Amino acid sequence: LVLSLAWLGPALGGEDKDEEVTEEEKKEKKEDEVLSDEIKEEDNVLVLHEHNFARALSEHQLLLVEFYAPWCGHCQRLAPAFAQAATELRNESSPARLAKVDAMAQTALATEFGISSYPTLKLFRDGNRTHPLAYTGRMDSQGIVRWMQRRAGPSATLLQDTDTIAAFINSKDLVAIGFFKDLRGEAAQAFFEVAAEMVDMTFGVAEDAELFQAYGLSADTVCLFKKFDERQTNFPVDPERGLDTAELTRLLRVHSLRLVMEFTNETSNEIFSAKIPHHMLLFLNKSSPGQLSLRDGFRAAAGGFRGEVLFVVVDVTGHGADVLPFFGMTAADAPTLRLVRMENNRKYQMEQDNFSDSAIRTFIQAVLDGKVKPHLLSAEPPEDWDKRPVKVLVGKTFEQVAFDETKNVFVKFYAPWCPHCQAMADDWVELAERYKDREDIVIAEMDSTANELENITIHGYPTLHYFPAGPGRKMVEFKGSRDVETFSKFLDNGGTLPEEPPVSEVRGQPPCPGLSPAPAG
């Protein structure tokens, strides 16, 4: 800083001795501040460094610390929400406080807590420096506030009589209540752990025998009460295995969803975070009364597949319009049905749409039994697909080009909306120009939003795969630096790169998510 000011001084006319003394004093003051354990605040967020970290832990029972890098775009986007959450918690006199550490400047702290990506949030409880808890909530102000509130107070409300429990059940559309004969027992403690994590759900606990009887229970049970679908769903605690937190979390997630969901901006996060392995989709135009009536058969088929298949209605003229390209569809294709296997994004389609509940059940069961082949998207090959240096592949032509035994084929799988793909486009053309006269090397690309392959799943954009010449269906994923010179080394070495020190991923940008149907994903 002092050197910078010295260079700028003459240009700014600040050359006198008094000015130099002032800057020296400022430098000394700044050094004193860094060495001091005094804790400064910015927007109600504690600013921590190596010398005041221990003091912050000793003074605050619950301290959520964000380790950030000034250059990190994700950190910059989180900053306003983090400050808002800090303000809300302070205004309600919560024992929970938020703090931040510049991990680029405070390398000792970053090393101590194993910080390798940004932002990383860790919760320190009761001054414990050795076992911080990883933050698992949403990265927005309300998500942070709720997550901290659950840890600052009891994660579940104690319900002691029938009037209180009835009022508690009626207070929300959805509540989970654990009935335990011993609230200090292992099962109850596991329930409290789940309640602390699932901050978007309201939890209560009861141990009074009268309350067990009022809700038809004789043993420890977790009950989910809803104002829709089944009004009460019971999850008895296995007396031998106890209460498994992961399994209870999954069950509550699954059963908290409506039997048939509508895909909207508000429900999309619920739909995808439920981690249900298959989604059955009914695409319809909600402005058409005839198409709306198809929901009855769709709903009738849903009950037998809860937890295995999530039923979702998609309005092709509403929020669902954005996902239509992902299925190779337009609004004119409605009404129609699709089943998606979420593990690999494979889509399944009836030979002829039949919207009766029995036909839907039969189709789903056939897919689950492996009796239906996936429906693969493919664009039509352009007439000049092989006339330019970069060859354009589609689903229909991929096999014959990529697995040509006389060619080494290097393929870029991309999405038209992906900024990383756009940034790499010129390099890919330059690479193709460099090798256009090589008969044994083909540089190609495929739009993976319009084309799908049966045995290759693309999870992010851009993805680069190399298919070497010779017998067999070999494929090598390229994982090096994405520039023309590195691509050339890779090709000239027959699909391998010489050993080099690993490139840090901290500053790199992750690929665009491959399963997202729209740029916003």
Side-chain angles (χ1 to χ4, degrees):
L1 177 60
V2 174
L3 285 174
S4 300
L5 290 169
W7 282 109
L8 287 171
L12 298 174
E15 298 183 23
D16 58 69
K17 187 174 181 180
D18 290 342
E19 184 68 22
E20 291 178 5
V21 172
T22 301
E23 293 305 332
E24 187 65 27
E25 288 174 348
K26 287 181 179 178
K27 177 187 175 186
E28 291 175 357
K29 182 178 179 183
K30 188 172 183 65
E31 289 177 349
D32 289 341
E33 288 175 355
V34 170
L35 294 173
S36 168
D37 68 352
E38 181 184 357
I39 300 174
K40 302 265 179 145
E41 295 188 20
E42 292 178 3
D43 298 324
N44 293 308
V45 176
L46 309 181
V47 180
L48 304 185
H49 49 73
E50 184 179 353
H51 300 285
N52 65 7
F53 197 87
R55 176 178 172 180
L57 294 187
S58 68
E59 291 183 354
H60 300 288
Q61 179 187 353
L62 287 170
L63 190 63
L64 181 65
V65 181
E66 176 201 1
F67 294 87
Y68 72 96
W71 47 259
C72 165
H74 300 298
C75 304
Q76 293 162 9
R77 287 188 288 274
L78 176 63
F82 199 70
Q84 183 179 340
T87 301
E88 287 188 35
L89 289 169
R90 187 162 193 185
N91 288 344
E92 64 184 35
S93 300
S94 170
R97 292 299 305 272
L98 304 190
K100 63 182 180 180
V101 171
D102 179 349
M104 295 292 94
Q106 302 300 319
T107 53
L109 290 176
T111 301
E112 178 181 354
F113 298 112
I115 307 303
S116 59
S117 61
Y118 307 104
T120 293
L121 278 62
K122 290 182 178 289
L123 176 68
F124 295 83
R125 183 189 289 273
D126 298 323
N128 188 324
R129 186 165 181 150
T130 57
H131 294 86
L133 181 68
Y135 178 77
T136 56
R138 298 199 320 259
M139 289 295 203
D140 59 62
S141 61
Q142 283 307 302
I144 294 169
V145 168
R146 288 177 184 172
W147 196 85
M148 292 298 284
Q149 286 172 335
R150 284 289 171 92
R151 282 152 183 80
S155 58
T157 302
L158 178 61
L159 307 167
Q160 297 179 299
D161 56 62
T162 53
D163 290 341
T164 303
I165 198 169
F168 185 80
I169 291 170
N170 289 325
S171 67
K172 303 281 185 182
D173 286 345
L174 183 79
V175 299
I177 300 177
F179 292 82
F180 301 102
K181 294 183 177 178
D182 180 7
L183 292 182
R184 293 173 298 278
E186 290 184 5
Q189 295 307 308
F191 179 80
F192 287 128
E193 286 182 33
V194 171
E197 287 296 327
M198 297 185 68
V199 298
D200 52 346
M201 190 178 292
T202 302
F203 287 81
V205 286
E207 64 176 343
D208 192 283
E210 179 187 6
L211 298 181
F212 273 76
Q213 185 177 357
Y215 291 91
L217 307 173
S218 59
D220 287 0
T221 304
V222 175
C223 299
L224 189 63
F225 295 93
K226 299 179 284 188
K227 292 183 180 178
F228 54 88
D229 298 339
E230 317 94 325
R231 297 291 169 161
Q232 178 179 336
T233 306
N234 296 342
F235 308 110
V237 176
D238 188 302
E240 294 183 4
R241 293 191 303 114
L243 192 63
D244 182 86
T245 56
E247 177 63 10
L248 178 60
T249 300
R250 188 191 70 81
L251 288 171
L252 291 176
R253 289 278 181 221
V254 166
H255 288 268
S256 67
L257 297 174
R258 293 179 183 272
L259 191 59
V260 177
M261 299 286 290
E262 182 172 346
F263 182 63
T264 66
N265 187 50
E266 291 74 28
T267 63
S268 59
N269 186 57
E270 287 182 83
I271 289 169
F272 293 114
S273 66
K275 297 182 180 177
I276 294 176
H278 304 85
H279 290 182
M280 184 66 185
L281 311 178
L282 169 60
F283 292 88
L284 52 76
N285 186 332
K286 286 185 71 177
S287 63
S288 166
Q291 293 189 26
L292 277 176
S293 66
L294 299 176
R295 293 182 300 182
D296 296 337
F298 192 65
R299 180 180 180 81
F305 296 99
R306 190 186 273 281
E308 182 67 20
V309 181
L310 179 62
F311 282 61
V312 184
V313 173
V314 182
D315 180 12
V316 296
T317 60
H319 187 64
D322 290 337
V323 305
L324 294 178
F326 180 61
F327 292 90
M329 292 167 44
T330 67
D333 293 313
T336 188
L337 296 160
R338 296 289 188 277
L339 189 144
V340 183
R341 190 187 300 274
M342 301 303 290
E343 176 187 37
N344 54 16
N345 223 34
R346 291 288 175 260
K347 307 172 189 71
Y348 299 84
Q349 181 178 352
M350 287 183 174
E351 290 185 10
Q352 183 69 41
D353 280 322
N354 185 327
F355 300 96
S356 71
D357 59 314
S358 60
I360 292 172
R361 280 195 293 265
T362 299
F363 170 69
I364 292 174
Q365 195 58 55
V367 172
L368 298 182
D369 292 340
K371 298 178 180 178
V372 181
K373 285 195 171 184
H375 175 73
L376 301 173
L377 296 178
S378 177
E380 292 299 320
E383 290 186 7
D384 61 345
W385 72 271
D386 61 345
K387 300 297 189 291
R388 290 172 289 180
V390 177
K391 313 308 177 189
V392 180
L393 306 185
V394 297
K396 296 176 181 179
T397 61
F398 182 84
E399 291 269 329
Q400 68 188 62
V401 177
F403 294 110
D404 183 337
E405 294 186 2
T406 67
K407 309 286 187 187
N408 297 291
V409 185
F410 201 13
V411 183
K412 175 183 71 174
F413 297 88
Y414 74 97
W417 48 259
C418 164
H420 307 311
C421 304
Q422 294 162 6
M424 203 178 82
D426 289 343
D427 281 351
W428 203 245
V429 172
E430 183 181 336
L431 181 71
E433 290 281 358
R434 185 175 292 190
Y435 289 90
K436 66 181 180 181
D437 296 326
R438 287 280 298 269
E439 290 291 327
D440 61 327
I441 291 179
V442 175
I443 307 300
E445 65 183 10
M446 189 175 86
D447 177 356
S448 289
T449 66
N451 300 278
E452 296 172 324
L453 305 171
E454 186 167 0
N455 297 311
I456 300 173
T457 301
I458 304 302
H459 293 290
Y461 304 125
T463 290
L464 307 177
H465 284 315
Y466 176 77
F467 301 86
R473 298 164 63 86
K474 298 175 183 176
M475 180 177 76
V476 178
E477 183 176 1
F478 176 84
K479 294 183 178 180
S481 298
R482 295 176 177 184
D483 58 76
V484 177
E485 294 308 317
T486 306
F487 293 152
S488 294
K489 286 181 186 178
F490 180 77
L491 291 172
D492 293 342
N493 282 289
T496 61
L497 281 172
E499 288 292 328
E500 295 179 356
V503 177
S504 172
E505 296 182 3
V506 171
R507 289 181 181 264
Q509 291 178 307
C512 293
L515 304 185
S516 298

